[in-house]
Amino acid sequence: MSNLHRNVQETSSYDKFNAKSYLKKNYPMGPDGIPASHEDWMPWLLNNLKDTFAGGQLSGERLLDVGTGPAIHNLISAARYFPNITCAEYCQENREEVEKWVRGEEDAFDWAPFIKYVCGLEGQRDWEARQVSLRDAIQQVVFCDVRDENLLASLNGGPYDVVSSVFTLCGVAKDKADFDGIVSNVSHLVKPGGTLILVCDLEATHYSDGKASFPHTYLEASYIRQAVRNSGFTDVKDDVLLFKSIEGLNWDGTSYIYLTARKSLDTA
Ligand SMILES: C[S@@+](CC[C@H](N)C(=O)[O-])C[C@H]1O[C@@H](n2cnc3c(N)ncnc32)[C@H](O)[C@@H]1O
């Protein structure tokens, strides 16, 4: 085990995921209104999402986010164009955290600074209207297990126009073969011609939510691109953020990948 993880409890179960601790640790906002993140990975992510959705270039109405956790920042740009969003998440505590925010409860995490930041990126002024429309757009928060080979049957309404998954599939996979199976399960959720947005950390063996340490499958960018192609996707494009240093992080990877791909028209 690396030094980064010596003081945290090793676990392979997400049952111990601590939503509040995770949010506090991973989603601080800087005093300048820019998300405070190691080597600016959060602005990198939010900029990529802004570009992917810009101008309504992805068609459709229904978007599914898989492994939402307690966090909705990756849906801010999406909700401008997709009025029907489903958040699918394994842990009840995380689902409740998202539901609390959708209901506008007082002790919910405050995503307003992130919404303001994304509005700034998009040249939009009325962040409060965007907050309201994001809350309206998140129509369902449901259980999902990406290991389920009949994932689509466990969700309502058939395949989605867009499926996003941010920092989830790499963490769930036990090994490379398992990752292939999970990408295949998720691929069935995307309509032919629809879009997959996948964000993964690369070449990591562990990460921590601040209390528990979660094992990771070591995956290179090339492996992820091929797994996506093998699951019936084309037009695979990506942007890799390579970290100069990971000093102080509870994580031992090298980089993050932001990948988009289009589901082939001739696959189910
Ligand atoms: C690192 S967190 C990412 C959360 C969020 N997308 C983000 O960017 O902050 C990984 C998420 O995957 C969820 N997860 C774990 N196992 C899962 C499974 N089998 N199916 C679906 N989600 C799972 C966890 O509960 C957790 O919320």
Side-chain angles (χ1 to χ4, degrees), residues 14 17 22 27 65-71 73-74 88-91 94 144-147 166-168 172 207:
Y14 275 90
F17 201 93
Y22 177 82
Y27 298 104
D65 187 56
V66 176
T68 304
H73 60 296
N74 59 299
E89 162 59 34
Y90 187 79
C91 290
N94 286 343
C144 94
D145 182 350
V146 291
R147 300 180 169 286
V166 177
F167 298 128
T168 292
V172 175
Y207 90 94

Side-chain angles (χ1 to χ4, degrees), residues 1-70:
M1 187 188 295
S2 82
N3 288 342
L4 300 174
H5 303 282
R6 217 172 256 162
N7 298 324
V8 290
Q9 182 192 347
E10 183 75 26
T11 176
S12 61
S13 164
Y14 275 90
D15 297 338
K16 295 191 175 87
F17 201 93
N18 183 312
K20 292 274 188 228
S21 150
Y22 177 82
L23 287 167
K24 193 172 167 200
K25 183 171 169 39
N26 290 292
Y27 298 104
M29 179 55 72
D32 50 3
I34 299 174
S37 57
H38 187 73
E39 294 184 20
D40 279 341
W41 71 262
M42 179 60 80
W44 167 83
L45 171 63
L46 295 174
N47 257 299
N48 267 308
L49 287 161
K50 181 222 20 155
D51 290 345
T52 296
F53 288 97
Q57 58 190 306
L58 301 187
S59 58
E61 298 215 323
R62 295 171 66 243
L63 181 147
L64 174 72
D65 187 56
V66 176
T68 304

Side-chain angles (χ1 to χ4, degrees), residues 50-176:
K50 181 222 20 155
D51 290 345
T52 296
F53 288 97
Q57 58 190 306
L58 301 187
S59 58
E61 298 215 323
R62 295 171 66 243
L63 181 147
L64 174 72
D65 187 56
V66 176
T68 304
I72 52 75
H73 60 296
N74 59 299
L75 301 171
I76 301 168
S77 287
R80 197 168 164 198
Y81 303 101
F82 285 79
N84 184 342
I85 294 177
T86 298
C87 294
E89 162 59 34
Y90 187 79
C91 290
Q92 187 180 345
E93 186 177 334
N94 286 343
R95 294 196 301 274
E96 284 172 1
E97 196 62 41
V98 171
E99 284 166 345
K100 263 189 213 170
W101 183 81
V102 171
R103 288 194 297 263
E105 290 183 16
E106 238 170 59
D107 68 332
F109 189 76
D110 182 14
W111 290 105
F114 285 78
I115 297 170
K116 285 180 199 165
Y117 177 74
V118 172
C119 282
L121 294 179
E122 294 176 355
Q124 294 265 304
R125 286 197 180 168
D126 194 352
W127 72 269
E128 279 168 308
R130 289 289 293 280
Q131 178 161 274
V132 170
S133 61
L134 175 54
R135 286 192 163 117
D136 287 347
I138 300 176
Q139 297 194 359
Q140 298 180 81
V141 182
V142 299
F143 169 83
C144 94
D145 182 350
V146 291
R147 300 180 169 286
D148 183 354
E149 287 176 15
N150 292 315
L151 204 47
L152 188 58
S154 68
L155 300 163
N156 289 328
Y160 293 80
D161 301 299
V162 175
V163 173
S164 58
S165 190
V166 177
F167 298 128
T168 292
L169 307 192
C170 302
V172 175
K174 288 197 183 104
D175 53 33
K176 285 184 167 173

Side-chain angles (χ1 to χ4, degrees), residues 201-266:
D201 45 353
L202 300 176
E203 298 168 353
T205 65
H206 286 86
Y207 90 94
S208 162
D209 70 354
K211 294 218 163 125
S213 177
F214 299 90
H216 236 277
T217 295
Y218 186 97
L219 293 163
E220 306 88 347
S222 55
Y223 193 89
I224 294 177
R225 291 179 194 119
Q226 196 52 47
V228 169
R229 285 193 197 97
N230 291 347
S231 287
F233 289 92
T234 180
D235 289 348
V236 179
K237 295 178 188 141
D238 64 75
D239 182 29
V240 172
L241 178 71
L242 183 64
F243 291 112
K244 294 180 194 86
S245 149
I246 57 163
E247 188 82 39
L249 297 183
N250 287 323
W251 174 78
D252 65 350
T254 60
S255 42
Y256 289 169
I257 187 168
Y258 179 95
L259 179 150
T260 61
R262 195 165 51 83
K263 184 85 177 283
S264 300
L265 291 170
D266 55 0

